[in-house]
Amino acid sequence: MSPTRAECRRRPRSNGLRRVVAAGLLLALVAGVSAQSAYKYKDANGNWVYTDRRPGNVAKFEEQPLASRAKNPNVTVRGEKTADGASALVVTNEYVAPVEILLELTDRVGVAAEVPKQVRAVVPPASEQSVVEVRPRERNINWSFGYTFQYMPGDPETTHQPGE
């Protein structure tokens, strides 16, 4: 997964919920780098600006003190047995933002052919999500698999929308 996914594309304006979510994510990211305060002000064009640096030449701004967190967020994957004997791989996302995960099944022995070898999913913030069910190709056989995963904070479908 490459961090070069960030692109700027124009989309029609949407409701204010995106702005609230974007502001919250920005404040969470600012808090993650151990800033003492976050600042909010309008630039010369009337756009809201969020930053961890005190505005120098802006007459009016809001300052929000940030609490530091001792715990670093984590993303984990665990297997859970399903009622029908399959294994569900469940992703836990402790971040305050969504994460994109790429999960690859390795060392597949006796695994059903329809089970994908790779799964890409976006897991919402502070949540758990089952991303794939792995099952044997037939009943009453020995079967096994391994897995590896990578993740990157963010949703690749999110677009930068300045001015909202």
Side-chain angles (χ1 to χ4, degrees):
M1 298 173 56
S2 169
T4 59
R5 286 188 180 272
E7 295 179 15
C8 292
R9 288 185 267 165
R10 282 288 209 197
R11 277 196 176 172
R13 289 183 179 248
S14 62
N15 63 21
L17 181 60
R18 282 186 184 244
R19 285 185 282 190
V20 171
V21 170
L25 288 174
L26 180 62
L27 288 174
L29 289 173
V30 169
V33 295
S34 299
Q36 297 300 310
S37 295
Y39 301 91
K40 172 183 163 184
Y41 65 93
K42 283 192 176 184
D43 66 11
N45 296 323
N47 297 316
W48 284 107
V49 176
Y50 300 88
T51 182
D52 63 341
R53 296 193 176 126
R54 186 178 186 89
N57 57 353
V58 176
K60 186 177 177 184
F61 63 86
E62 294 177 29
E63 180 177 0
Q64 178 67 43
L66 299 174
S68 63
R69 289 181 246 172
K71 181 181 174 191
N72 289 331
N74 200 8
V75 174
T76 58
V77 177
R78 73 177 186 283
E80 288 185 356
K81 287 267 188 197
T82 64
D84 64 352
S87 288
L89 293 180
V90 178
V91 177
T92 301
N93 174 14
E94 295 177 352
Y95 279 85
V96 294
V99 295
E100 180 185 21
I101 186 162
L102 174 64
L103 190 135
E104 184 172 354
L105 297 180
T106 61
D107 306 322
R108 298 164 51 117
V109 176
V111 172
E114 67 270 11
V115 175
K117 292 180 181 173
Q118 283 190 345
V119 177
R120 186 178 297 267
V122 174
V123 181
S127 68
E128 291 186 344
Q129 178 176 319
S130 177
V131 295
V132 66
E133 282 193 12
V134 184
R135 59 188 68 258
R137 72 172 170 263
E138 58 189 66
R139 290 180 171 245
N140 300 322
I141 66 166
N142 288 330
W143 63 289
S144 63
F145 66 93
Y147 62 86
T148 61
F149 69 99
Q150 304 174 50
Y151 68 94
M152 177 178 290
D155 180 345
E157 299 298 317
T158 301
T159 58
H160 180 65
Q161 298 177 351
E164 283 195 13

